[in-house]
Amino acid sequence: MRFTSLITGALAASVVAAHPGHDHEAEARNLEAMLDRMPRRDLSHCAEIIKRSGMEARSIARREELAAQLMKKRGLTGRATPINTSHKSTKGYTLSTPYSTIFATNNTCVLSPEVTEGPYYVAGEYIRKDTVEKQTGVSLTLDIQVLNIDTCKPVSGAYLEIWHTNATGVYSGISASGNGNSAKDKSNLNATFLRGVQQTDSDGVVQFNSIFPGHYTGRTTHTHVLVHTNAKALANGTIMDVTASHVGQFFYDQDLITLVEATAPYKSNKQTVTLNKNDGILTQASKTGDPFINYVTLGGSSVSGGLLGWIAFGIDTDLAKKVTKGATLYASGGVSG
Ligand SMILES: *[C@@H]1O[C@H](CO)[C@@H](O)[C@H](O)[C@H]1NC(C)=O
Ligand SMILES: *[C@@H]1O[C@H](CO)[C@@H](O)[C@H](O)[C@H]1NC(C)=O
Ligand SMILES: *[C@@H]1O[C@H](CO)[C@@H](O)[C@H](O)[C@H]1NC(C)=O
Ligand SMILES: *[C@@H]1O[C@H](CO)[C@@H](O)[C@H](O)[C@H]1NC(C)=O
Ligand SMILES: CC(=O)N[C@H]1CO[C@H](CO)[C@@H](O)[C@@H]1O
C-alpha cells in the first residue's frame, strides 16, 4: 500500500492560518494535486460490468424498495420524484421518467474523487445506521455504494463513515472557532450527532438515516465520507482508525439546497452562504466528474416528506492515506486533536 501524507501536512499548517479556522482554498489546491496523481478518476468504465453482473438491477430494486418503505412509514402517497435536478447526471428527468432510469447506478456511477477530510474528522465514532439523535431538519436517507475503481467489483466488509453539519451548520464532536459557537461551548466535544459508521455489504452498500446538512461560512453544503478498508469494530461498537482510509465529500444540487434552506430550522442559520459555483473544493471535484448525490423527494414537490439520496464511490485500494483528526471520542468524552 502506498500512503500519501502530502495532504495531511499541508492541511495541518493551514488550519491556524485562515478564518474561520480552516483554509478552504489550500484544501482545494491539495485536492487538485491529489486528482492529478490519480490514474482513474471516475467509474464510467464500470458501467457495463455493473449492468452485466446484475449489480445495477439490484441497486434499482434496493433503492425503489427503500423509497417505498420510507413513504409507507411516513404515510406518503404518489411518486418518489427527482425534482429540480440541476446536476448533469439527471438533467431532463420528468415526472414520467421510469424508476428503472431514476434509480439506476448509471446516473450514480459518478466520479467521486478523493477529496480531503477537512479539519473536523472525529475518530472513534459509533457504528450505527441512525445518526440523527435529537437534530431536526429535512430527513435524508442515504444509500452509498463503494466499488473498486480498477476491478469495478463491490468493496465489501469495509467501514464507511459519514459526518456533516446540523441544520444550522455546526459539526458535533468539535470545539473550534470555525464551528458555530463550539469554541465557547465545550459540551459540543461530547456530541456525536450526524456522525456514523456502517459496514459495507456484499454489494459494497451501506445505508444511513440522517438529515440534510446545513451550510457554514466558507463552504457549500456537503457531506464527508471516509472508507476504512482495514478497520476493526471495537467491543464498544466504535472504530478507531486513521490509516489506510479513502476520503471524499459529496454535494447537493443547488436547487435542492435552496429548497431545503427555505425551511425551518435551516433558515435560522446566520452563517454566510457559499453557493456550489463558488466552492473551490466542489469546483475541483467536478472537473473530472459528478460528485453530486442523486435523490428523490418522497413527499412530492415539497422536501418536508424527506429525501432518499444515493451515490457510488470508486476507491483505489492501492492508494490510501493517513487522515488527520480534529478530535477523538473516548469513553471519557471527546478530546480535541
Ligand atoms: C445513463 O442514463 C442516461 C439517461 O437514461 C442515458 O442517456 C445514458 O446513456 C446512460 N449512461 C450510461 C453510461 O449508460
Ligand atoms: C446545531 O448544533 C449546535 C451545537 O450543539 C446547537 O447549538 C444548535 O442549536 C444546533 N442546531 C439545531 C437546528 O438544532
Ligand atoms: C471504545 O473502546 C476503545 C478501546 O477500548 C476506547 O479507547 C474508547 O474510549 C471507547 N469509546 C467509547 C465511546 O466508549
Ligand atoms: C463529557 O462526557 C464525559 C463522559 O461521560 C463526562 O465525564 C464529561 O463531564 C463530559 N464533558 C462535558 C463538557 O459535558
Ligand atoms: C418545487 C420547486 O421549488 N420547483 C422549482 C424547480 O425549479 C424551477 C426552475 O428553477 C422553479 O420554477 C420551481 O419552483
Side-chain angles (χ1 to χ4, degrees), residues 186-188 190 330-334:
K186 297 278 185 239
S187 70
N188 197 44
N190 275 0
Y330 294 107
S332 54

Side-chain angles (χ1 to χ4, degrees), residues 46-74:
C46 293
E48 268 314 301
I49 298 176
I50 288 171
K51 273 200 179 72
R52 265 192 283 117
S53 65
M55 203 154 54
E56 163 133 311
R58 287 197 298 280
S59 289
I60 292 169
R62 185 181 65 246
R63 293 167 192 145
E64 198 174 331
E65 168 67 20
L66 182 55
Q69 268 174 21
L70 291 165
M71 287 173 71
K72 190 171 174 208
K73 202 164 108 193
R74 293 173 196 168

